Amino acid sequence: MSDKTTHFGYQTVNSEEKAGKVAEVFHSVASSYDLMNDLMSAGIHRLWKRVTIEMSGVRRGHKVLDIAGGTGDLAAKFSRIVGSDGLVVLADINDSMLKVGRDRLLDRGIANNIQFAQANAQYLPFPDNSFDVITIAFGLRNVTDKEMALRSMYRVLKPGGKLLVLEFSKPPSTVLSKIYDGYSFNILPKLGKLFASDADSYQYLAESIRMHPDQETLMGMVEEAGFSNCDYHNMTGGIVALHRGVKA
């Protein structure tokens, strides 16, 4: 067993154990994931994702990789943009989430240019220089080795390709930060218990957000992975940030 440790929420665990523990969380919440996203964010997550799509620059004919794509809401929109000449790969490490996403997209009849891949972001199973755009929305904080994952994303992007990381972040305002903490640790687990019969998973999700790097730290990590023209845009007072980088 490795002697390396990492964070699982506020717990310190062996690095080799984290992926399994995260998998248990998402197996538990997969069937209620979309409902809980709407409840947790009052539907604002749809706006955050719309901004991500607009800032991605995705065009007809592009190849897009949506990592931690879960239930497929980003993939569905990218599918319409890239058209029959393009391709969207919805990738998720968790087979329960991937199944929910695949079934949902097939039911909606929009999976003709979408492929599905169960994949670990640290070891993306795609050739070098494969994709025009890579997105990862609310998934990077659950990755055990974020630096390795960012390097893996860099490798499979085409030169000139763009990475977009949408993730919960740190509000600069101390007032907003206190309100957000109160909501995350007092309300969120109760919503999880009420609507998903699972308070513990949503306690973990709140903790994982707090342990995620802040905006400047994450931008430095994206740059360290090789990306250029890196920036980030705060949304909803910095509760969420959209990071961007380009493969030169």
Side-chain angles (χ1 to χ4, degrees), residues 79-80 83-84 86-88 105-106 109-116:
S79 170
R80 287 193 286 271
S84 57
L87 175 69
V88 178
L105 292 170
L106 288 169
I110 51 173
N112 57 325
N113 61 350
I114 300 177
Q115 294 179 0
F116 302 90

Side-chain angles (χ1 to χ4, degrees), residues 26-27 30-31 34 69-72 90-107 116-118:
F26 285 92
H27 284 311
S31 62
D34 290 329
T71 54
L90 192 166
D92 204 293
I93 194 172
N94 187 277
D95 60 337
S96 296
M97 293 290 287
L98 198 62
K99 184 177 187 301
V100 170
R102 183 174 60 240
D103 290 349
R104 182 180 174 197
L105 292 170
L106 288 169
D107 287 347
F116 302 90
Q118 187 172 353

Side-chain angles (χ1 to χ4, degrees), residues 22-32 94 96 196-198 201-202:
V22 170
E24 290 172 10
V25 170
F26 285 92
H27 284 311
S28 175
V29 304
S31 62
S32 58
N94 187 277
S96 296
S197 301
D198 189 348
S201 290
Y202 286 91

Side-chain angles (χ1 to χ4, degrees), residues 191-207:
L191 286 174
K193 184 175 182 179
L194 184 63
F195 291 97
S197 301
D198 189 348
D200 290 345
S201 290
Y202 286 91
Q203 178 75 23
Y204 158 73
L205 292 175
E207 292 176 3

Side-chain angles (χ1 to χ4, degrees), residues 20 59 78 103 108-109 118 168 181 190 195 206 220 224:
R59 300 191 303 274
F78 282 135
D103 290 349
R108 293 167 64 186
Q118 187 172 353
F168 290 108
D181 278 348
K190 291 175 183 174
F195 291 97
E224 187 67 25

Side-chain angles (χ1 to χ4, degrees), residues 4-15 17-19 21-22 141-146 204 207-208 210-213:
K4 287 186 176 181
T5 60
T6 189
H7 294 288
F8 176 73
Y10 288 166
Q11 299 176 45
T12 299
V13 299
N14 191 284
S15 295
E17 298 174 3
K18 179 170 179 176
K21 288 181 173 292
V22 170
R141 72 180 188 280
N142 297 310
V143 174
T144 303
D145 190 329
K146 297 172 181 60
Y204 158 73
E207 292 176 3
S208 71
R210 295 308 177 278
M211 299 306 295
H212 188 66

Side-chain angles (χ1 to χ4, degrees), residues 116-130:
F116 302 90
Q118 187 172 353
N120 185 330
Q122 297 171 197
Y123 311 99
L124 292 171
F126 308 108
D128 296 358
N129 310 315
S130 293

Side-chain angles (χ1 to χ4, degrees), residues 7-234:
H7 294 288
F8 176 73
Y10 288 166
Q11 299 176 45
T12 299
V13 299
N14 191 284
S15 295
E16 294 176 352
E17 298 174 3
K18 179 170 179 176
K21 288 181 173 292
V22 170
E24 290 172 10
V25 170
F26 285 92
H27 284 311
S28 175
V29 304
S31 62
S32 58
Y33 187 76
D34 290 329
L35 170 64
M36 287 301 298
N37 273 350
D38 282 328
L39 289 170
M40 288 188 301
S41 71
I44 301 173
H45 74 99
R46 298 175 188 275
L47 175 62
W48 299 332
K49 290 170 181 173
R50 190 181 311 147
V51 171
T52 301
I53 290 166
E54 289 172 357
M55 296 186 74
S56 71
V58 167
R59 300 191 303 274
R60 185 171 184 85
H62 270 177
K63 290 182 68 177
V64 179
L65 173 61
D66 182 28
I67 300 172
T71 54
D73 43 2
L74 277 178
K77 292 179 172 61
F78 282 135
S79 170
R80 287 193 286 271
I81 296 170
V82 303
S84 57
D85 299 329
L87 175 69
V88 178
V89 177
L90 192 166
D92 204 293
I93 194 172
N94 187 277
D95 60 337
S96 296
M97 293 290 287
L98 198 62
K99 184 177 187 301
V100 170
R102 183 174 60 240
D103 290 349
R104 182 180 174 197
L105 292 170
L106 288 169
D107 287 347
R108 293 167 64 186
I110 51 173
N112 57 325
N113 61 350
I114 300 177
Q115 294 179 0
F116 302 90
Q118 187 172 353
N120 185 330
Q122 297 171 197
Y123 311 99
L124 292 171
F126 308 108
D128 296 358
N129 310 315
S130 293
F131 297 97
D132 298 286
V133 171
I134 294 177
T135 55
I136 178 167
F138 307 114
L140 187 62
R141 72 180 188 280
N142 297 310
V143 174
T144 303
D145 190 329
K146 297 172 181 60
E147 290 88 351
M148 181 185 288
L150 289 167
R151 292 193 299 270
S152 185
M153 295 175 209
Y154 185 88
R155 178 185 65 78
V156 302
L157 263 179
K158 296 178 182 178
K162 191 181 294 184
L163 168 70
L164 295 101
V165 180
L166 179 66
E167 189 55 88
F168 290 108
S169 201
K170 306 290 190 289
S173 162
T174 53
V175 173
L176 179 57
S177 190
K178 286 179 180 177
I179 294 170
Y180 183 40
D181 278 348
Y183 169 77
S184 298
F185 291 102
N186 296 318
I187 306 299
L188 187 55
K190 291 175 183 174
L191 286 174
K193 184 175 182 179
L194 184 63
F195 291 97
S197 301
D198 189 348
D200 290 345
S201 290
Y202 286 91
Q203 178 75 23
Y204 158 73
L205 292 175
E207 292 176 3
S208 71
I209 291 167
R210 295 308 177 278
M211 299 306 295
H212 188 66
D214 64 19
Q215 289 91 324
E216 290 291 335
T217 304
L218 181 54
M219 188 169 75
M221 291 165 64
V222 175
E223 290 173 337
E224 187 67 25
F227 291 92
S228 57
N229 299 332
C230 298
D231 61 13
Y232 65 84
H233 299 263
N234 284 333

